[in-house]
Amino acid sequence: MATMHDVARLAQVSVSTVSYVLTGTRPISQATRNRVLAAMAELDYQPNAMARGLASRRSRILGLLMPMDERGLGATETAFVTGAAAAASAAGYHLVLSPVGGGNLDDLRRLASQRMLDGVVLMEVQLADERVTVLQEAGVPLVLIGRTGDTSTLSYVDIDFDQTVREAVAHLVGLGHRRIVYVNHSAATLASGYGPALRTRDAFTAAMTGHGLEPVMIAAEDSAAGGRAALAAAFARTPELTAVLAMNETAIFGILGELTGRGLSVPDDVSVVSMVTSPQVAELATPALTAMTSPGSALGRIAIEALVRHLDGSAVDRHQQLLPCALEVRGSTAAPRSRQPMGADQ
Amino acid sequence: MATMHDVARLAQVSVSTVSYVLTGTRPISQATRNRVLAAMAELDYQPNAMARGLASRRSRILGLLMPMDERGLGATETAFVTGAAAAASAAGYHLVLSPVGGGNLDDLRRLASQRMLDGVVLMEVQLADERVTVLQEAGVPLVLIGRTGDTSTLSYVDIDFDQTVREAVAHLVGLGHRRIVYVNHSAATLASGYGPALRTRDAFTAAMTGHGLEPVMIAAEDSAAGGRAALAAAFARTPELTAVLAMNETAIFGILGELTGRGLSVPDDVSVVSMVTSPQVAELATPALTAMTSPGSALGRIAIEALVRHLDGSAVDRHQQLLPCALEVRGSTAAPRSRQPMGADQ
DNA sequence: ACACGTCGTCGAAGCGTTTCGACGAAGCGG
DNA sequence: CCGCTTCGTCGAAACGCTTCGACGACGTGT
C-alpha cells in the first residue's frame, strides 16, 4: 500500500506538495501537479482515510440513522436512502447507514463521540426523540427527516402532511364522497408521539371540517389483521362510508381484503386512497391504488445537501423545508355509486 | 473532548498505561486500572476512532454492502441487517451499511482501498459478481450472503434453496397436488445469473421429477402486473393447475389478484406457497400465505461471526454454510378440490 | 530601482492512538 | 543471598496525513 511519502519521492516533491495537490488547499503549478498525479497513478495510491481523518479532524463520513424495526424499509424509505447516498457521493462524502434500533442509545452516543461521523441525518424522528438530544450533546451536526415537537432550533426536511391530506381529501370530495374514514397508524403509535400520525390526524380533521364534513379516524395496528379490524370499526361507526383514506401502508392490504370479503368492490362501492406511498407498493394492489406519492429521493437529497452546506460553513443557519406528496390517480378511486359526482359548478 | 493525555495526567500514569487499560494488551494492576477508569469516567473520555484506527491499522468497522435497487428491502433483508448489526455490536465492531448500487464499482474500490473497513459482508451476490473481484483485489476480508458460481475459495452463508424447494413441493404433493407451477423471477434476472433464481429453478425441476411430476416454471417480472401475466401464462401451459409455488415476492400479489379476478378461490381452487418470505409479508395477503420462512437474522449473524473470527485470527479457513427455510403453513394451501388428498397410506 | 505582494514549494509540527523496548521491583528456586 | 523470570509501568517512536510558517523567485505599482 503506497503512502504519500512514496508518491512524493517518486514525483520528486515534498509530502506537503502532494497533499496540496490532493486537497487543493494551496496553488500548485500545472507541471508539478502533473508529475504528482502521474506518480499517484503509477503507484495506485489511495489516501488512508484514517490518517486523513486524524490530521484534518473530519472524517468525510456522514451517517444516516435509520430505525430498523420489525417491518422492513418500504420503497419510500429506500428512496430516501438512495437519494441521500447520491447526494453525499456528489459532495465527496461517504454515507453510511447505521441501523440504530430503539435500545442502543449508548451505541449511538459512542458513535457520535468517537468523532467518526462529521454529521448525521436522522430518519423517522419522533416528536420527542432522545436521539436528537444525544447527538446535540455530542455536538454532531444534525439534519432531521421528519420533525420533533419543537421545530424551532433544528434543521429538518419533512413531508408536508397538511397539504398532502388536504389534497387527498379534496380529491375524494371532488368525486362526490361525503363519508370518508381515515385509517391511521395504531393507537400505540399515536401515543408514542409519532409525528406523521399526529400531523395527519390533525390535518384530516381540519380538511374535513373545512368541507363541512365529519372527520372519522380509526387507529389500526400495522398489520393486515389490523386493517381488517379497522374497516370493521369504520363500518360500525359510519355504515354509509364510501371512501377510505389510509396512512397505514401495512393495514391497507387488510382493508382491501376485508372489502372484497364483504362483497364490496373497489372503487365502485368504496374508494381507497393511500397516503405517502411509493408507486411500487401502490401497483401491488388490485386495482392499483390511487395514492399520495412521497417525494422519496428528494427528501434524502435535500437533507444531505443541507448538512453538507452546514459542514462546509457555506450555511450557518438552519434549513427547514416541507415537501408535499403528489396525488397519483390510479384505479382505486371513483365517484360513489349512490350519488353523482359533485363538481364545483353544481 | 478529552484525550488520552488528559486521562493519563489525571490518573497520574503514562499514556501507554491508559492504552493498556483500554485494550487489555498488557497486564495492569487492579489499583492502577481503577484510577484510570475513574479518570476516564470523570472526563467522559471517548477514544478517538480515527487515531485508534491509524495506529492500530484496524478500524473495527465492518461493512455490509447491500444493493439498493428500485424495490426496497423486504422484511427478509431487514432481518439480515438487524441480525448482522447485533452480532457486530456483540463482537465490539461497528457495522455500517453501504448502499452500493450497480454502477459505482469505483466507489466500492475506493472504500475498500482506503482501509476504512476491516472486512465486509456482501449481500445479494450474483453468480459472477464483480464486487467480489474488486474486494479480493483490495485485500479486504470477505463473507458472502449468497454464493458465487465458483464457491470453492470463498466464505459464505446462504439459504439452502434445494432443501427449501424440496420441502415446499413435498408439502403440496402431500396435499394431493399434481399440477404445480413455479413462478420464478424474471427472465432477465435469470439471465443475469441471480443465484437464488437459478438454484430454485434447478431444485424445482429435481423435486418435481423426483415425484414423477412435470416441472413447469414461469418467469415473472417483479411487479403485480408481472404476476398477473405469469398466472395467465401458467394457465395457458397447464390449464388444470392446482397449485402455485412463487419465489417472486412482488409478483405474488398480482397472482393473487388475478386468481380472484378469474373467480378462483385460494386455497380451495388453487393453493399458493410463497418462498423465502417473511411472516410479515405472508400475513399481508388474504388469506395469509403458507410460506417458506427465511432464516432471516440468523444469516446476518452467522456471516458477521464468521467474518469476525477470521479477523481475530481465530479461524483462518473459509466458512461455508447453508440454512434451510422453514415451512409455515397458513391459509393459502389446502387439498385440491378435484381430488382427495393423497396420504402415504393410500 | 525599491519596497511589496503573490505564487509555489518545503520542512516540521502536530493529530490521538498503539506498540515496542526498557527497566525497576518483586518473587522464586537453588 | 544471587541470578532469573514475571509483572507493571514508562518513554518514545511510529501510523499517514494536514496545515502552518517560512522562504526564494517573480511580477507590480510608484
Short mmCIF file of all heavy atoms in Angstrom, two decimals, chain A residues 14 16-17 26-27 29 32 57, chain C residues 8-12 14-16:
data_model
loop_
_atom_site.label_atom_id
_atom_site.label_comp_id
_atom_site.label_asym_id
_atom_site.label_seq_id
_atom_site.Cartn_x
_atom_site.Cartn_y
_atom_site.Cartn_z
N SER A 14 7.92 17.49 -2.12
CA SER A 14 7.75 17.22 -0.70
C SER A 14 6.37 16.63 -0.45
O SER A 14 5.47 16.71 -1.29
CB SER A 14 7.90 18.49 0.11
OG SER A 14 6.75 19.28 -0.06
N SER A 16 4.14 17.62 1.58
CA SER A 16 3.08 18.62 1.66
C SER A 16 2.57 18.99 0.27
O SER A 16 1.37 19.22 0.09
CB SER A 16 3.58 19.87 2.39
OG SER A 16 4.87 20.21 1.97
N THR A 17 3.47 19.02 -0.69
CA THR A 17 3.03 19.34 -2.04
C THR A 17 2.02 18.31 -2.54
O THR A 17 1.00 18.64 -3.14
CB THR A 17 4.24 19.39 -2.99
OG1 THR A 17 5.14 20.36 -2.50
CG2 THR A 17 3.82 19.74 -4.39
N ARG A 26 -3.79 24.72 -1.53
CA ARG A 26 -2.90 25.81 -1.96
C ARG A 26 -2.60 25.63 -3.44
O ARG A 26 -2.67 24.53 -3.97
CB ARG A 26 -1.58 25.76 -1.17
CG ARG A 26 -1.73 26.26 0.24
CD ARG A 26 -0.38 26.53 0.84
NE ARG A 26 -0.50 26.85 2.26
CZ ARG A 26 0.54 27.14 3.04
NH1 ARG A 26 1.75 27.12 2.54
NH2 ARG A 26 0.35 27.42 4.30
N PRO A 27 -2.24 26.70 -4.08
CA PRO A 27 -1.97 26.61 -5.53
C PRO A 27 -0.72 25.79 -5.82
O PRO A 27 0.27 25.88 -5.09
CB PRO A 27 -1.78 28.08 -5.93
CG PRO A 27 -1.38 28.77 -4.67
CD PRO A 27 -2.11 28.06 -3.57
N SER A 29 1.67 24.50 -9.26
CA SER A 29 1.86 24.73 -10.69
C SER A 29 1.41 23.50 -11.48
O SER A 29 1.47 22.37 -10.99
CB SER A 29 3.32 25.03 -10.99
OG SER A 29 4.07 23.85 -10.88
N THR A 32 4.08 20.64 -11.77
CA THR A 32 4.23 19.83 -10.56
C THR A 32 3.02 18.94 -10.36
O THR A 32 3.14 17.75 -10.07
CB THR A 32 4.39 20.74 -9.33
OG1 THR A 32 5.31 21.77 -9.65
CG2 THR A 32 4.88 19.95 -8.15
N ARG A 57 -9.22 16.24 11.25
CA ARG A 57 -10.32 16.28 12.20
C ARG A 57 -11.68 16.28 11.53
O ARG A 57 -12.64 16.81 12.05
CB ARG A 57 -10.18 17.50 13.11
CG ARG A 57 -9.37 17.21 14.37
CD ARG A 57 -8.91 18.48 15.02
NE ARG A 57 -8.02 19.23 14.13
CZ ARG A 57 -6.73 18.97 14.01
NH1 ARG A 57 -6.19 18.03 14.72
NH2 ARG A 57 -5.98 19.66 13.19
P DG C 8 1.22 29.46 -8.83
OP1 DG C 8 1.30 29.13 -10.26
OP2 DG C 8 -0.02 29.24 -8.07
"O5'" DG C 8 2.41 28.72 -8.08
"C5'" DG C 8 3.69 28.66 -8.71
"C4'" DG C 8 4.63 27.91 -7.81
"O4'" DG C 8 4.78 28.62 -6.57
"C3'" DG C 8 4.19 26.50 -7.43
"O3'" DG C 8 5.26 25.63 -7.75
"C2'" DG C 8 3.90 26.55 -5.94
"C1'" DG C 8 4.78 27.70 -5.50
N9 DG C 8 4.35 28.44 -4.32
C8 DG C 8 3.08 28.81 -3.98
N7 DG C 8 3.01 29.49 -2.86
C5 DG C 8 4.33 29.57 -2.43
C6 DG C 8 4.88 30.17 -1.28
O6 DG C 8 4.30 30.79 -0.39
N1 DG C 8 6.25 30.02 -1.23
C2 DG C 8 7.01 29.37 -2.18
N2 DG C 8 8.31 29.33 -1.97
N3 DG C 8 6.51 28.79 -3.26
C4 DG C 8 5.17 28.93 -3.32
P DT C 9 5.10 24.04 -7.60
OP1 DT C 9 5.90 23.41 -8.66
OP2 DT C 9 3.68 23.70 -7.44
"O5'" DT C 9 5.86 23.81 -6.23
"C5'" DT C 9 7.25 24.12 -6.15
"C4'" DT C 9 7.70 24.18 -4.71
"O4'" DT C 9 6.96 25.18 -3.98
"C3'" DT C 9 7.52 22.90 -3.90
"O3'" DT C 9 8.74 22.16 -3.95
"C2'" DT C 9 7.22 23.40 -2.48
"C1'" DT C 9 7.21 24.91 -2.61
N1 DT C 9 6.16 25.58 -1.82
C2 DT C 9 6.53 26.24 -0.67
O2 DT C 9 7.67 26.31 -0.26
N3 DT C 9 5.49 26.84 0.00
C4 DT C 9 4.16 26.85 -0.37
O4 DT C 9 3.32 27.42 0.32
C5 DT C 9 3.85 26.13 -1.58
C7 DT C 9 2.44 26.07 -2.05
C6 DT C 9 4.84 25.54 -2.25
P DC C 10 8.86 20.76 -3.21
OP1 DC C 10 9.94 20.01 -3.84
OP2 DC C 10 7.52 20.17 -3.07
"O5'" DC C 10 9.37 21.24 -1.78
"C5'" DC C 10 10.54 22.04 -1.67
"C4'" DC C 10 10.78 22.42 -0.23
"O4'" DC C 10 9.75 23.32 0.22
"C3'" DC C 10 10.78 21.23 0.72
"O3'" DC C 10 12.02 21.15 1.39
"C2'" DC C 10 9.62 21.49 1.68
"C1'" DC C 10 9.39 22.99 1.54
N1 DC C 10 7.96 23.37 1.71
C2 DC C 10 7.58 24.19 2.77
O2 DC C 10 8.43 24.56 3.58
N3 DC C 10 6.27 24.54 2.91
C4 DC C 10 5.38 24.11 2.01
N4 DC C 10 4.10 24.49 2.16
C5 DC C 10 5.75 23.28 0.91
C6 DC C 10 7.03 22.94 0.80
P DG C 11 12.47 19.78 2.06
OP1 DG C 11 13.90 19.57 1.77
OP2 DG C 11 11.47 18.75 1.71
"O5'" DG C 11 12.30 20.15 3.60
"C5'" DG C 11 12.85 21.37 4.08
"C4'" DG C 11 12.38 21.63 5.50
"O4'" DG C 11 11.03 22.12 5.49
"C3'" DG C 11 12.39 20.40 6.41
"O3'" DG C 11 12.99 20.79 7.64
"C2'" DG C 11 10.91 20.02 6.54
"C1'" DG C 11 10.21 21.36 6.36
N9 DG C 11 8.89 21.29 5.73
C8 DG C 11 8.54 20.52 4.65
N7 DG C 11 7.29 20.69 4.29
C5 DG C 11 6.79 21.61 5.20
C6 DG C 11 5.50 22.17 5.30
O6 DG C 11 4.51 21.96 4.59
N1 DG C 11 5.40 23.06 6.36
C2 DG C 11 6.44 23.38 7.21
N2 DG C 11 6.16 24.27 8.17
N3 DG C 11 7.66 22.87 7.12
C4 DG C 11 7.76 21.99 6.10
P DA C 12 13.13 19.73 8.82
OP1 DA C 12 14.35 20.11 9.57
OP2 DA C 12 12.96 18.35 8.31
"O5'" DA C 12 11.86 20.12 9.72
"C5'" DA C 12 11.51 21.50 9.87
"C4'" DA C 12 10.35 21.62 10.84
"O4'" DA C 12 9.09 21.52 10.11
"C3'" DA C 12 10.29 20.51 11.89
"O3'" DA C 12 9.71 21.08 13.05
"C2'" DA C 12 9.39 19.47 11.25
"C1'" DA C 12 8.35 20.39 10.58
N9 DA C 12 7.67 19.82 9.44
C8 DA C 12 8.13 18.90 8.55
N7 DA C 12 7.26 18.59 7.61
C5 DA C 12 6.16 19.36 7.91
C6 DA C 12 4.90 19.49 7.30
N6 DA C 12 4.55 18.81 6.20
N1 DA C 12 4.02 20.36 7.86
C2 DA C 12 4.39 21.03 8.95
N3 DA C 12 5.54 21.00 9.62
C4 DA C 12 6.38 20.13 9.04
P DG C 14 4.12 21.00 17.95
OP1 DG C 14 2.76 21.61 18.21
OP2 DG C 14 5.20 21.17 18.93
"O5'" DG C 14 3.98 19.44 17.63
"C5'" DG C 14 2.81 18.74 18.01
"C4'" DG C 14 1.62 19.16 17.16
"O4'" DG C 14 1.97 19.04 15.76
"C3'" DG C 14 0.43 18.26 17.40
"O3'" DG C 14 -0.74 19.02 17.61
"C2'" DG C 14 0.31 17.39 16.18
"C1'" DG C 14 1.11 18.11 15.11
N9 DG C 14 1.92 17.15 14.38
C8 DG C 14 3.19 16.71 14.70
N7 DG C 14 3.66 15.84 13.82
C5 DG C 14 2.64 15.71 12.88
C6 DG C 14 2.56 14.91 11.72
O6 DG C 14 3.40 14.13 11.28
N1 DG C 14 1.34 15.07 11.07
C2 DG C 14 0.33 15.90 11.49
N2 DG C 14 -0.77 15.93 10.74
N3 DG C 14 0.39 16.66 12.56
C4 DG C 14 1.57 16.51 13.21
P DC C 15 -1.75 18.60 18.68
OP1 DC C 15 -2.53 19.79 19.08
OP2 DC C 15 -1.01 17.80 19.69
"O5'" DC C 15 -2.71 17.58 17.93
"C5'" DC C 15 -3.57 17.99 16.90
"C4'" DC C 15 -4.22 16.77 16.29
"O4'" DC C 15 -3.35 16.24 15.27
"C3'" DC C 15 -4.39 15.64 17.31
"O3'" DC C 15 -5.74 15.64 17.79
"C2'" DC C 15 -4.10 14.36 16.51
"C1'" DC C 15 -3.49 14.85 15.19
N1 DC C 15 -2.15 14.30 14.88
C2 DC C 15 -1.89 13.79 13.61
O2 DC C 15 -2.79 13.81 12.77
N3 DC C 15 -0.66 13.29 13.36
C4 DC C 15 0.29 13.30 14.31
N4 DC C 15 1.49 12.80 14.00
C5 DC C 15 0.04 13.83 15.60
C6 DC C 15 -1.18 14.31 15.84
P DG C 16 -5.96 15.63 19.39
OP1 DG C 16 -7.31 16.17 19.65
OP2 DG C 16 -4.79 16.18 20.09
"O5'" DG C 16 -6.00 14.06 19.68
"C5'" DG C 16 -6.98 13.29 19.03
"C4'" DG C 16 -6.63 11.83 19.18
"O4'" DG C 16 -5.40 11.56 18.50
"C3'" DG C 16 -6.43 11.39 20.63
"O3'" DG C 16 -7.08 10.15 20.78
"C2'" DG C 16 -4.91 11.26 20.73
"C1'" DG C 16 -4.55 10.83 19.33
N9 DG C 16 -3.19 11.13 18.93
C8 DG C 16 -2.43 12.20 19.32
N7 DG C 16 -1.24 12.22 18.77
C5 DG C 16 -1.22 11.10 17.96
C6 DG C 16 -0.18 10.60 17.12
O6 DG C 16 0.94 11.07 16.90
N1 DG C 16 -0.58 9.42 16.48
C2 DG C 16 -1.80 8.82 16.64
N2 DG C 16 -2.00 7.70 15.94
N3 DG C 16 -2.77 9.28 17.42
C4 DG C 16 -2.41 10.42 18.05
#
